[in-house]
């Protein structure tokens, strides 16, 4: 296994395949680098170097109870990028990984490290409802996720069987393999880290991060996203970016990189080559 040890002793597992321009993939909660299998194979076969890591507390990385916050997630990403000496990279983040990308690019993306970024079904700019974000989700929604962690073995069935992949929609083509793989990835990680990550993904305000980013950014979001509601995410994030482009999908789920990999991969390739 390939891994690096960051400043606080946490080991971060990563995959690094191929040569060429690097594409770095940042996964969502509570998953792992494996959630990018379709994208990593697709781009590896097209001459790109593909990298994905397990966020601390997730997958094969250390199940630490420390540093489960967006600043540390971004710092871990920066440590990996420095270790691999990546330049001119494209950073792609899904859901919580989109927040990680925004903070990483804003704080560490200078000096030619980053060429472009992509936010897919991302938590940007901020998810939780407040006086300054009246369209956000109430804290009770996230409290429900925290309560679910008391029996995460069942909860990690309920989420992919329902809203994450849109399998609760009438006529949905349900994939048991996709559900099982989501459960497998989630159960690999540490309960405490995943519990803490709920606060990080819901309450971190990435507004100022988005404003700082100058490289081209593609924002990909579906109007039928049941995890990160469209109206309070994709359009707002795109407006805050200096060089952002919003690509809107209709009827696709939050986990569209998995359920609609062919479409998402083609759109990613078009943006990367543009």
């Amino acid at each position: 296994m390939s891994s690096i040890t960051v400043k606080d002793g946490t080991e971060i597992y990563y995959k690094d395949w191929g040569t060429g321009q690097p594409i770095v993939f940042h996964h969502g909660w509570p998953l792992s680098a494996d959630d990018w299998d379709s994208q990593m194979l697709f781009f590896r076969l097209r001459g790109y170097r593909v990298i994905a890591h397990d966020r601390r507390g997730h997958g094969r990385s250390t199940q630490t109870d420390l540093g489960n916050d967006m600043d540390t997630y971004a710092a871990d990403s920066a440590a990996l990028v420095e270790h691999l000496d990546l330049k001119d990279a494209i950073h792609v983040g899904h859901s919580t990984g989109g927040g990680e990308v925004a903070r990483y690019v804003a704080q560490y993306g200078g000096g030619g490290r980053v060429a472009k970024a992509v936010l897919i079904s991302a938590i940007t700019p901020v998810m939780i409802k407040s006086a300054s974000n009246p369209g956000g989700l109430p804290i009770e929604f996230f409290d429900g996720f925290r309560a679910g962690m008391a029996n995460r073995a069942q909860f990690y069935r309920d989420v992919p069987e329902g809203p994450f992949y849109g399998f609760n929609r009438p006529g949905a083509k349900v994939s048991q393999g996709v559900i099982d793989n989501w459960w497998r990835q989630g159960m690999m990680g540490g309960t405490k880290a995943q519990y803490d990550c709920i606060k990080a993904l819901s309450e971190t305000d990435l507004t100022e991060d988005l404003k700082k980013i100058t490289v081209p950014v593609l924002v990909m979001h579906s109007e039928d996203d049941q995890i990160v509601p469209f109206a309070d995410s994709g359009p707002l994030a795109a407006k805050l970016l200096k060089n952002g482009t919003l690509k809107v999908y209709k009827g696709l789920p939050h986990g569209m990189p998995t359920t609609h990999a062919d479409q998402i991969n083609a759109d990613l390739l078009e943006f990367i080559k543009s």
Side-chain angles (χ1 to χ4, degrees), residues 49-253:
R49 179 182 180 184
V50 291
I51 300 109
H53 67 288
D54 291 352
R55 185 175 300 115
R56 64 169 53 217
H58 295 65
R60 290 139 293 204
S61 293
T62 304
Q63 293 190 12
T64 177
D65 68 339
L66 302 174
N68 299 302
D69 57 78
M70 203 61 70
D71 283 338
T72 309
Y73 297 159
D76 290 345
S77 297
L80 178 60
V81 168
E82 184 175 355
H83 173 75
L84 298 176
D85 195 24
L86 304 180
K87 295 181 175 66
D88 196 34
I90 298 105
H91 284 261
V92 181
H94 175 250
S95 196
T96 301
E100 184 176 288
V101 166
R103 181 137 299 178
Y104 165 76
V105 175
Q107 295 190 358
Y108 302 96
R113 290 286 191 194
V114 178
K116 295 179 179 180
V118 183
L119 308 177
I120 306 176
S121 310
I123 60 170
T124 49
V126 60
M127 285 195 71
I128 200 163
K129 183 177 182 178
S130 65
S132 59
N133 186 40
L137 292 168
I139 194 169
E140 289 79 12
F141 176 85
F142 302 105
D143 286 343
F145 271 64
R146 279 182 274 266
M149 296 297 289
N151 181 7
R152 67 171 181 157
Q154 181 59 51
F155 186 50
Y156 285 4
R157 290 287 183 192
D158 298 340
V159 175
E161 287 176 355
F164 198 93
Y165 293 117
F167 290 157
N168 56 346
R169 294 303 198 210
K173 185 179 180 181
V174 177
S175 169
Q176 190 61 47
V178 165
I179 294 167
D180 291 347
N181 193 41
W182 202 98
W183 185 90
R184 176 190 67 84
Q185 291 180 73
M187 294 302 291
M188 285 170 64
T191 305
K192 178 61 164 60
Q194 293 171 348
Y195 183 95
D196 290 348
C197 187
I198 296 169
K199 179 179 178 66
L201 70 88
S202 63
E203 298 183 30
T204 305
D205 191 338
L206 296 148
T207 299
E208 295 305 315
D209 300 89
L210 294 170
K211 290 179 180 178
K212 290 177 184 176
I213 296 171
T214 58
V215 297
V217 181
L218 177 63
V219 179
M220 308 167 76
H221 218 109
S222 173
E223 292 179 342
D224 195 38
D225 192 317
Q226 298 178 67
I227 302 294
V228 182
F230 174 80
D232 198 59
S233 51
L236 302 185
K239 288 180 181 178
L240 290 165
L241 291 159
K242 290 182 172 66
N243 193 2
T245 301
L246 175 63
K247 188 168 185 62
V248 180
Y249 298 85
K250 296 183 182 297
L252 271 59

Side-chain angles (χ1 to χ4, degrees), residues 3-12 14 62 79 83:
S3 65
I4 61 166
T5 302
V6 297
K7 289 181 179 179
D8 68 357
T10 299
E11 290 190 4
I12 304 295
Y14 69 93
T62 304
H83 173 75

